[in-house]
């Protein structure tokens, strides 16, 4: 944003003008070309090859919610990256897992983080979890033009609702349509297989540890049948990103903690290759 010689101090006048608590509205007013949805795209000439990320899963338990994602990004039939990160904190009490075009998805997450931080600084309070879910829906809708050219972003949003005192999960479609999921959810190319595992093993009385095992088990099942989903890589020590959001806030499991969960599941799968028939570990 260019400097304004009539502004006070070093900041352009735009930063000193009262306005909306939405950072997207601020950009739309003063620098609309910086918004992803306002970019001019060249004429479409065939399929756009760009890294895509999948799969994201989430499950709730009485004390919060767990959001996790695999680490593989693909570009056509090629593995573009083996250790991409797809789950990010949105703020202190929420997180976003991205599926779809990786570059646009990461950019959207950064803008979403800034949007929530801007609102909190301007208003002095955090946006409600429902409000956060609606803001993300607006961002996805603004990307509809790119989605129609194959550059879609379909995230999974989860967080702790301080008003309702419970963990909640929201899923989206490419048009920005939002749905609240109860119990568990999955998105991405491996979501069909992950959802089957979640449906098979989910219970409403799971502990945090059991829920963590559940989402990793779901990613294992997705990787078993979906080539775009990367399973835990014990040789390279690449494990899923697993995050937990409770009333104490956002927390990401360490690599050692994830490795422990993965090894326990791996040892059990050596005994039962088609998946566990008993209760969760």
């Amino acid at each position: 944003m260019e400097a304004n010689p009539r502004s006070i101090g070093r900041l352009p006048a735009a930063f000193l003008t009262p306005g909306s608590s939405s950072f997207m509205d601020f950009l739309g007013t003063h620098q609309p070309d910086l918004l992803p949805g306002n970019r001019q795209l060249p004429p479409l000439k065939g399929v756009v090859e760009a890294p895509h990320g999948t799969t994201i899963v989430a499950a709730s338990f009485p004390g919060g919610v767990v959001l996790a994602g695999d680490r593989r990004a693909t570009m056509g039939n090629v593995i573009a990256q083996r250790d991409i990160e797809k789950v990010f904190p949105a703020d202190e009490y929420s997180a976003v897992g991205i599926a779809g075009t990786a570059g646009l998805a990461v950019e959207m997450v950064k803008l979403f983080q800034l949007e929530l931080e801007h609102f909190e600084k301007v208003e002095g309070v955090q946006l409600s979890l429902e409000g956060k879910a609606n803001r993300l829906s607006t961002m996805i809708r603004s990307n509809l033009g790119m989605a129609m050219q194959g550059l879609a972003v379909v995230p999974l949003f989860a967080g702790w609702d301080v008003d309702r005192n419970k963990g909640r999960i929201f899923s989206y479609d490419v048009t920005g349509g939002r749905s609240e999921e109860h119990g568990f959810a999955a998105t991405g190319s491996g979501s069909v297989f992950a959802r089957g595992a979640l449906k098979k093993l989910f219970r409403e009385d799971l502990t945090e540890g059991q829920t963590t095992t559940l989402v990793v088990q779901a990613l294992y099942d997705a990787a078993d049948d979906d080539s775009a989903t990367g399973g835990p890589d014990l040789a390279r020590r690449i494990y899923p990103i697993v995050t937990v959001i409770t009333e104490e806030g956002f927390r990401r499991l360490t690599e050692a903690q994830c490795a422990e969960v993965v090894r326990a599941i791996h040892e059990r799968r050596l005994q039962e290759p088609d998946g566990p028939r008993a209760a969760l570990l």
Side-chain angles (χ1 to χ4, degrees), residues 32-220:
D33 56 296
L34 294 180
L35 290 173
N38 291 339
R39 290 176 181 158
Q40 296 296 322
L41 298 179
L44 183 63
K45 297 179 181 179
V47 178
V48 178
E49 289 289 348
H52 282 66
T54 56
T55 298
I56 306 298
V57 297
S60 60
F61 61 96
V65 61
V66 177
L67 181 65
D70 78 303
R71 306 293 298 277
R72 176 175 293 178
T74 59
M75 191 163 57
N77 65 327
V78 177
I79 297 176
Q81 187 174 347
R82 299 181 186 275
D83 60 351
I84 188 173
E85 295 194 7
K86 307 176 187 177
V87 181
F88 306 89
D91 66 359
E92 185 182 359
Y93 290 102
S94 60
V96 184
I98 57 171
T101 308
L104 292 178
V106 171
E107 186 179 57
M108 184 178 293
V109 168
K110 290 181 178 179
L111 184 58
F112 184 51
Q113 292 169 332
L114 191 55
E115 172 81 356
L116 299 185
E117 185 177 354
H118 184 266
F119 180 91
E120 185 175 353
K121 287 184 176 180
V122 172
E123 298 293 337
V125 295
Q126 280 192 347
L127 195 62
S128 68
L129 191 67
E130 194 90 22
K132 297 172 191 176
N134 290 336
R135 292 289 175 98
L136 184 55
S137 179
T138 301
M139 289 185 177
I140 298 169
R141 190 175 299 114
S142 69
N143 190 59
L144 185 58
M146 290 189 177
M148 293 298 101
Q149 296 198 40
L151 302 175
V153 177
V154 188
L156 205 58
F157 177 65
W160 177 261
D161 193 326
V162 295
D163 298 319
R164 300 191 184 185
N165 203 37
K166 59 184 283 191
R168 300 173 68 186
I169 304 168
F170 297 91
S171 63
Y172 299 85
D173 58 37
V174 293
T175 67
R178 174 180 69 84
S179 301
E180 181 171 2
E181 305 288 347
H182 300 283
F184 56 86
T187 190
S189 65
S191 61
V192 174
F193 310 109
R195 185 179 291 274
L198 292 167
K199 189 174 182 179
K200 175 176 62 177
L201 299 173
F202 178 78
R203 298 194 315 270
E204 293 184 355
D205 61 346
L206 294 177
T207 64
E208 178 183 318
Q210 289 174 326
T211 308
T212 299
T213 301
L214 168 63
V215 297
V216 176
Q217 179 71 59
L219 291 174
Y220 243 120

Side-chain angles (χ1 to χ4, degrees), residues 245-266:
I245 309 107
T246 65
E247 62 180 351
E248 296 178 354
F250 172 92
R251 184 178 82 256
R252 173 174 165 171
L253 268 64
T254 64
E255 184 175 304
Q257 290 173 322
C258 287
E260 183 179 351
V261 174
V262 167
R263 289 195 181 96
I265 294 175
H266 184 70

